[in-house]
Amino acid sequence: MTTGPVPIGDAERVELAPGEVAADSRFANADLLPVPVSQRHWTTYNFAALWVGMAHNIPSWMLASGLVALGMDWKQAVLTIALANVVVLVPMMLTGHAGPKYGIPFPVLARAPFGVRGANLPALVRAGVACAWFGIQTWIGGTGIFVLLGKVFGGWAQAKEVAGQPWTLWLCFVLFWALELAIIYRGMEALRRFENWAAPFVIVGALALLVWIAGKAGGLGPLLDQPSKLGWGSDFWEVFFPSLMGMIAFWSTLSLNIPDFTRFGSGQRAQMVGQALGLPTTMTLFALLSVIVTSGSQAVYGAPVWDPVELVAHTDNVFGLLFALVTVLVATISVNIAANVVSPAYDLSHLAPRIIDFRTGALITGVVGVLIMPWKLTSTPELYIFTWLGLVGGLLGTVAGILIADYWIVRRTRLSLPDLYREGGAYWYRGGWNWKALAALAVGGTLAVGGSHSAAGQGPFPSDGLIPVLKPLADYGWAVGLASSLVLYVALMRAGRGARAPH
């Protein structure tokens, strides 16, 4: 039997008793087993710092610029980002609840609805998305280093090209890639310490950029007064909803990943308050800051400079360039490791627990993140926001709907820890697979992304959608996937014996 719940004020915590899971189990290793209660000590500050460190990065800075490039003004862009992060905070808190209570990562939590073996399917979906994100962030970070070092040393951009890019850019990309993997190889406790000091450092760097550009501009410039190209009519709403889903998709991986971090939490209050303080406020303020800084760049240079690296590269101050270089390094590493290496490392370990541990999974993630050629995914705002983020959001929203339905509605937050690691237990279903979860995933995923479409010549999908009748749903992919899979899964589980929660 499991040890009894451990009361800790705002929640109870459960752990395995010695010997409950065999040491040679095919479905467990040291990284997948529950974190002992004595080691669940992340505080509210740790979670808030985690989000501050993840939100303050170059792609987050450029989210507002991508929306403005699509025709929004600064108010519409900031509103879209703020609303998206309030919306995505809800599933993060719901899926994050199992972390402090049971100490388990996402792929183990997914065993409850999908089956002990079936959980590999959503784990692979999430791992694929996170590997691609890792590649995107690493490419952006490597490019930033390339630009800034080029200003310090000169001549880097004119180096001999290899595969269409200067070899010096590839060098920066590879060195940055290696640095990230070196940090995560030291484990989760090293990540916690890194995020604790990275968060305030990046805030200082962003504020320094604001002070610098405001001093050069003699004010904040005219950008805040520029009107929207879309207005507030039908043209705006046609862009708003797919953009909202894209902004939600920006953190939709974390809406599944979050148990990977909350499993170290000291309690529910720590993870819920930390996330509420860290995510929506930070992302909204960061988006606003990016717009204000950009307005100053327009006053100084005659045109808005949306990329913070390109903006800093306008200075000839060596100290300023080096400070900016360190800030770019810290900001990008903090988000990329936490958001895009930790999770697929657990997922890949889940595929073959005896062969792949957390560190091996991290190395595999690094290799796959390069193979997907991230420089192509970020080539245009249409491809980045509508195609990549929209497709990702639809698929991950579907998985989130099933997790939330199973944990909160079907099982009422009650899980049998030993059965999550056991053949023939409550979560074995048929051969380790729960066909009801698979059906909900297939239907929800089809509804969410089946209507994916691209403007002529601007994306990989046909203009009338993959499944034309579903095209009207494509702009709401994340919400459609989450809602449809949640409703269908609950209906299927309540129609059979699976509705009874284990005690």
Side-chain angles (χ1 to χ4, degrees), residues 22-47:
D24 60 348
S25 171
R26 292 182 296 153
F27 306 109
N29 62 25
D31 298 308
L32 296 177
L33 286 171
V35 175
V37 168
S38 61
Q39 297 178 26
R40 300 178 203 172
H41 50 65
W42 283 34
T43 64
T44 297
Y45 176 79
N46 293 139
F47 287 111

Side-chain angles (χ1 to χ4, degrees), residues 23-29 349 351-357:
D24 60 348
S25 171
R26 292 182 296 153
F27 306 109
N29 62 25
S349 177
L351 287 176
R354 291 183 178 180
I355 301 173
I356 304 174
D357 60 10

Side-chain angles (χ1 to χ4, degrees), residues 22 40 45 85 110 127 129 134 148 175 231 240 280 321 329 336 356 377 386 392 427 450 478 494:
R40 300 178 203 172
Y45 176 79
N85 284 280
V129 171
F134 173 79
L148 295 175
L175 291 177
F240 170 77
L321 286 168
L329 279 169
N336 213 16
I356 304 174
L377 284 176
F386 291 160
V392 164
Y427 313 113
W478 181 83
R494 287 186 172 175

Side-chain angles (χ1 to χ4, degrees), residues 348-437:
L348 294 168
S349 177
H350 188 267
L351 287 176
R354 291 183 178 180
I355 301 173
I356 304 174
D357 60 10
F358 179 83
R359 289 177 171 84
T360 305
L363 295 176
I364 296 173
T365 299
V367 173
V368 175
V370 174
L371 295 178
I372 56 94
M373 294 185 290
W375 44 91
K376 293 188 176 181
L377 284 176
T378 55
S379 57
T380 67
E382 291 82 7
L383 182 63
Y384 181 53
I385 293 179
F386 291 160
T387 302
W388 167 244
L389 290 180
L391 186 66
V392 164
L395 292 175
L396 297 183
T398 303
V399 176
I402 295 171
L403 283 183
I404 293 169
D406 183 80
Y407 184 72
W408 286 96
I409 301 175
V410 173
R411 306 188 190 280
R412 307 294 176 89
T413 76
R414 296 194 300 273
L415 298 174
S416 170
L417 268 183
D419 284 338
L420 289 171
Y421 302 90
R422 179 180 297 163
E423 182 175 345
Y427 313 113
W428 189 247
Y429 301 105
R430 292 187 179 181
W433 295 78
N434 181 10
W435 71 265
K436 298 176 181 179

Side-chain angles (χ1 to χ4, degrees), residues 15 94 132 148 167 181 196 210 241 304 346 477:
E15 63 182 359
L94 293 177
L148 295 175
W167 71 264
L181 292 186
N196 281 349
L210 173 62
F241 285 109
Y346 281 127

Side-chain angles (χ1 to χ4, degrees), residues 170-187:
W170 293 117
L171 176 63
C172 291
F173 174 62
V174 171
L175 291 177
F176 188 63
W177 172 85
L179 177 60
E180 291 175 311
L181 292 186
I183 294 174
I184 195 60
Y185 195 77
R186 296 179 63 86

Side-chain angles (χ1 to χ4, degrees), residues 67 70 72 80 239-248 385-386:
L67 295 178
L70 295 171
M72 293 187 184
T80 303
V239 174
F240 170 77
F241 285 109
S243 296
L244 180 68
M245 293 300 107
M247 296 305 102
I248 290 172
I385 293 179
F386 291 160

